[in-house]
Amino acid sequence: MQLSFGEGLRQFLGPDTLVSVVVEGLAKSAIYVMIASGLTLIFGLMGVLNFAHGSLTMIGAYLAGLVMVTLVGSATGAWTRLALFFVALAAVFVALAFLGGVMEVGLVRQLYDRPPIYQILLTFGLTLVLEELVRIVVLFYGLQPISEWRAALGTRPAILSAEQSIGPLSVRGLALFEIALGAATVLGIWAFLTRTRYGLYIRAGSEDAEMAEALGIDVRRVFTFVFALGAGVAGAAGALLMWDPVWGANVPLAAETLLPAFVVVIIGGLGTFRGTVAGALVVGMADATTTWWFQNVVVTWTWLPEITVFLILVGMLIVKPQGLFGVEEVGGH
Amino acid sequence: MYHLLTTFSFPVAPSAINSFAIAVLPRVDSMVAVLYFALFAMSFDFISGYTGYLSFGHAAFYGTGAYAVILIANGKVPLLPAGTPFMVSLLVAAVLAGLLAVVIGLVSFRLSGVYFAMITLGFAQVLYVFVRGWDYVASNPRDGPAVGSTHPEGFEIGIPFVDQLTLAIGTFSGDTVVVLGHELGTYTVSFYMVGLVALVSYFAMQRVIHSPFGRVMIAIRENEERAAAIGYDTFRYKLGAFVISGFFGGVAGALYAGFSRSVTPESTFYFLTTGDALLASIIGGFGTLAGPLYGHLFDHSIREFLSNTGQGGGLLPFLRETLPEGVLTADIVGGLTVEGFIGAALNGHASLYVGIVFVLFVLYVPSGLLGTLRNYLGGSVSERLPAKLWGER
């Protein structure tokens, strides 16, 4: 059903379409905020732009898929599957946090006194290594690294695959689940940053690492902790993406999530968690809107939905280089 | 490469040396790729290594050069017929890339550090998605354009309109030449002709680096505020350097398109193309213009050494040939034989080893191959090596 521009605009502004686009947009925002918040935590405190973030998400997707495929049988009920998903989520979070901690202690720590470019370089090299390792393992077990891992997608309970109707509206069950998980992640990180002592250390360290150290905070340990936390969140995002047929568990997921995550973080302002949430909302809404227009209205530019994210990035950097909530000096560069 | 060696150095080489050389040295057809890609890596290093502004969207210029050459050859560019000599279209392609650099640079140089890297990346990705969906460039833009029937003859490098002074490049469309009784194949001819352009471009960039302009570029890398305080308009210098860098990036892309006659969006505009240039620059030496050539040669040699499966060269066939049968079929764990293990670990997974080498370089050899050599010798290699070898001052 292809509509002309005027008809399209009328239908787009109708309540049904508008609400469903907003729900889709929120679901996309939830995904973006999950893949980007680990990145922003690490950058805010240490000024390290972690290029390996996407690879960590990808590993998280495969690990969560592994847990689900081994634990879920065809007879497993929907609620058990959901419960098992949270088991997988927790397992992936712990595993990736451990990996992140090892990375920080073993590799990244040696580069804090070098120019910031070297941290980009190191983590870029790590992506090559991690991706190829995953590729070897995946090929060894006879999985296609490029396409989605069907068995992992199949562990999704039926209530998430089907359309759910809320009053007069019908919404994808998965979209609601993603929104819920995204909101929980945002709330969790926000509560952690503002309500716990370690969160206080992190905020103090982001503000002024030297001063925090002078006040007796072991900044090196906080660095390790935050790197582990960021990696864990990246893995948790992967666990969510494993169930989404648009993304799925595959090796290219690393590059596919890394670039939007960067865009979200930069639009929001490097290193501010509030900005990242706002950035994810902007990008998710814009993405859902352009996707709707592309699917329903005669749009001759087939590349428009793919390009939206980067157009927002370029536009934002031209108008307000430090991002929505950014301050100019964050991270020292 | 081993072709060159085996034809010239050891015409009747002992077979052991021969098979070792085949295993270790890159093949001559990939050496052509090393040359044009090394030129791209040099142009990347020219801006990133000397001014300190990481141009993470440098693939845009490479892609512009490559696409421009193919579009001109297909008669899709107004005013330029399909038969335009390659040297002219190469120049046009490079100028286009330079103009693109002006546009991107005017916006991007308002930013610095990570933001600069990200906005250039953003521009390159916009162009990448754009050419992947623009059906004017090719009937199937996702697979990229190829030179069509409007330009069947090879692209000629040399002085245009003078037949005796040009030689065509390309695998099938290139010229062959007989020198002193040796016939040089199309690969060898392409190697020298592409090398000629790369060399001229290298000298041009080298000249800029060693000029007062280049000194200001280095001053910007070391301390931009001070350079501005002394009175240099750093914005202009950065933009100028970026345009020069984009121009030679375009030349490299044009050479790539001229040699391979078909390009894909992934091998030109995609951000991992810039990533490969980054690898070459770091391994070879960031901020040494010639370094990226050695860096890319090193990177490429590792890849070829570790990922060739059959026809000539590579570690895997070498091991299969030289290891005794008993070792190959021996069990490691649970039915996994040595042969199965080296097959799984070595076949097509060179990125893993390249990545490890890269990480080790970043951590322990931050000035790269050439930079470390220069630090050790205390100056440029050509100046200091004789003195080091023979102890003269």
Side-chain angles (χ1 to χ4, degrees):
Chain A
M1 178 188 62
Q2 299 280 290
L3 307 169
S4 71
F5 184 80
E7 271 177 84
L9 191 64
R10 210 168 55 236
Q11 201 184 79
F12 180 72
L13 291 176
D16 290 10
T17 316
L18 211 54
V19 170
S20 74
V21 168
V22 166
V23 170
E24 282 297 313
L26 281 176
K28 282 177 195 281
S29 309
I31 287 179
Y32 286 137
V33 86
M34 288 202 69
I35 56 183
S37 40
L39 201 62
T40 205
L41 282 177
I42 293 175
F43 188 89
L45 183 63
M46 297 171 246
V48 174
L49 200 57
N50 183 11
F51 257 76
H53 197 76
S55 308
L56 297 174
T57 304
M58 184 260 295
I59 293 174
Y62 270 115
L63 280 182
L66 181 70
V67 173
M68 294 307 284
V69 169
T70 37
L71 293 184
V72 173
S74 56
T76 316
W79 293 109
T80 327
R81 287 184 182 209
L82 270 185
L84 284 175
F85 175 80
F86 285 102
V87 172
L89 194 74
V92 167
F93 184 86
V94 171
L96 265 291
F98 180 74
L99 179 63
V102 170
M103 267 166 63
E104 202 274 340
V105 173
L107 298 168
V108 183
R109 183 172 280 184
Q110 308 186 27
L111 295 178
Y112 288 134
D113 48 353
R114 295 236 205 119
I117 215 171
Y118 278 94
Q119 293 139 13
I120 297 184
L121 299 177
L122 176 80
T123 48
F124 178 76
L126 282 178
T127 61
L128 296 177
V129 176
L130 292 176
E131 265 179 52
E132 211 54 44
L133 278 177
V134 172
R135 205 182 286 271
I136 290 176
V137 172
V138 167
L139 281 173
F140 192 78
Y141 287 101
L143 295 176
Q144 253 288 344
I146 304 294
S147 61
E148 292 152 20
W149 186 12
R150 304 304 310 182
L153 275 180
T155 59
R156 211 166 25 161
I159 41 166
L160 292 190
S161 318
E163 298 267 320
Q164 300 293 318
S165 55
I166 303 171
L169 294 166
S170 90
V171 197
R172 287 186 307 125
L174 190 63
L176 296 177
F177 182 67
E178 283 168 355
I179 294 172
L181 202 61
T185 310
V186 170
L187 281 179
I189 293 176
W190 179 77
F192 171 76
L193 284 178
T194 54
R195 293 280 182 275
T196 63
R197 183 144 279 268
Y198 238 91
L200 185 68
Y201 290 169
I202 292 171
R203 283 183 295 141
S206 308
E207 200 81 23
D208 189 335
E210 270 178 29
M211 192 66 208
E213 192 145 33
L215 291 172
I217 298 172
D218 185 354
V219 173
R220 278 162 67 97
R221 209 168 64 199
V222 178
F223 278 10
T224 311
F225 181 82
V226 167
F227 211 94
L229 180 71
V233 175
L240 177 64
L241 295 181
M242 163 209 72
W243 264 0
D244 191 325
V246 178
W247 305 82
N250 52 48
V251 174
L253 189 69
E256 283 165 17
T257 56
L258 180 69
L259 292 178
F262 275 153
V263 174
V264 166
V265 166
I266 285 179
I267 287 174
L270 275 167
T272 65
F273 183 64
R274 192 166 52 133
T276 301
V277 177
L281 281 172
V282 169
V283 173
M285 287 301 169
D287 191 354
T289 310
T290 47
T291 308
W292 186 88
W293 278 89
F294 173 64
Q295 281 166 351
N296 294 285
V297 184
V298 186
V299 179
T300 40
W301 309 313
T302 52
W303 35 263
L304 190 64
E306 290 179 77
I307 225 168
T308 321
V309 172
F310 295 103
L311 284 180
I312 298 176
L313 170 73
V314 170
M316 190 71 207
L317 284 177
I318 292 172
V319 178
K320 198 162 182 280
Q322 67 272 33
L324 288 173
F325 291 96
V327 271
E328 240 157 289
E329 300 286 311
V330 167
H333 43 274
Chain B
M1 192 67 166
Y2 76 88
H3 281 299
L4 299 180
L5 276 183
T6 44
T7 26
F8 292 119
S9 323
F10 342 92
V12 279
S15 68
I17 296 181
N18 226 338
S19 82
F20 184 71
I22 286 172
V24 172
L25 295 173
R27 287 170 297 156
V28 67
D29 50 331
S30 40
M31 279 308 291
V32 184
V34 167
L35 285 176
Y36 59 69
F37 199 85
L39 177 59
F40 173 59
M42 281 179 197
S43 78
F44 169 80
D45 191 34
F46 183 84
I47 184 73
S48 308
Y50 281 92
T51 67
Y53 277 77
L54 190 62
S55 169
F56 221 79
H58 218 67
F61 309 123
Y62 191 60
T64 305
Y67 269 68
V69 161
I70 292 194
L71 290 184
I72 291 172
N74 286 345
K76 285 187 171 172
V77 176
L79 303 178
L80 290 167
T84 310
F86 179 60
M87 294 311 279
V88 176
S89 57
L90 178 134
L91 210 59
V92 171
V95 168
L96 280 176
L99 288 177
L100 181 68
V102 174
V103 175
I104 296 181
L106 276 176
V107 177
S108 309
F109 278 115
R110 296 162 57 216
L111 310 165
S112 62
V114 175
Y115 291 95
F116 178 81
M118 285 300 125
I119 194 171
T120 48
L121 174 65
F123 275 116
Q125 281 301 103
V126 166
L127 286 171
Y128 163 69
V129 177
F130 179 69
V131 296
R132 218 165 56 129
W134 193 27
D135 48 15
Y136 181 74
V137 295
S139 55
N140 189 355
R142 266 172 197 269
D143 294 341
V147 177
S149 54
T150 49
H151 198 288
E153 68 273 20
F155 291 107
E156 290 181 323
I157 290 180
I159 298 171
F161 308 111
V162 185
D163 246 9
Q164 288 78 6
L165 292 177
T166 57
L167 284 172
I169 56 172
T171 311
F172 300 110
S173 53
D175 286 332
T176 56
V177 176
V178 177
V179 179
L180 306 174
H182 282 294
E183 182 171 328
L184 303 183
T186 53
Y187 283 132
T188 317
V189 169
S190 303
F191 174 79
Y192 285 112
M193 297 321 282
V194 170
L196 188 66
V197 178
L199 195 66
V200 169
S201 307
Y202 165 70
F203 280 132
M205 283 191 276
Q206 172 86 342
R207 196 58 239 129
V208 176
I209 294 288
H210 286 183
S211 71
F213 185 90
R215 295 290 134 190
V216 180
M217 284 167 63
I218 295 170
I220 288 172
R221 178 185 71 194
E222 297 301 329
N223 192 336
E224 184 168 353
E225 279 172 16
R226 188 177 291 175
I230 293 170
Y232 290 111
D233 185 350
T234 52
F235 184 83
R236 280 200 192 171
Y237 279 91
K238 287 186 286 187
L239 190 63
F242 196 53
V243 171
I244 295 170
S245 165
F247 180 89
F248 288 109
V251 171
L255 287 176
Y256 163 48
F259 176 68
S260 60
R261 297 177 74 83
S262 73
V263 299
T264 62
E266 274 67 34
S267 65
T268 52
F269 282 98
Y270 197 44
F271 82 104
L272 288 180
T273 310
T274 315
D276 281 340
L278 185 66
L279 289 180
S281 304
I282 296 301
I283 295 176
F286 212 45
T288 61
L289 192 61
L293 171 65
Y294 303 112
H296 189 62
L297 183 59
F298 187 80
D299 171 11
H300 199 92
S301 308
I302 294 181
R303 279 181 204 272
E304 205 166 289
F305 182 57
L306 290 173
S307 61
N308 269 15
T309 46
Q311 76 295 345
L315 181 61
L316 190 57
F318 183 73
L319 285 182
R320 282 207 178 119
E321 274 171 32
T322 42
L323 286 181
E325 190 63 28
V327 175
L328 280 178
T329 49
D331 236 36
I332 305 176
V333 270
L336 183 68
T337 61
V338 171
E339 191 175 15
F341 176 74
I342 59 173
L346 294 180
N347 194 0
H349 296 298
S351 291
L352 174 64
Y353 307 102
V354 171
I356 292 173
V357 167
F358 179 75
V359 168
L360 290 177
F361 263 85
V362 171
L363 285 175
Y364 302 113
V365 199
S367 30
L369 292 174
L370 190 59
T372 308
L373 191 60
R374 280 189 187 162
N375 288 345
Y376 172 70
L377 294 173
S380 84
V381 176
S382 57
E383 279 171 16
R384 301 291 305 162
L385 192 61
K388 203 83 189 174
L389 284 180
W390 292 290
E392 291 157 25
R393 287 238 131 218

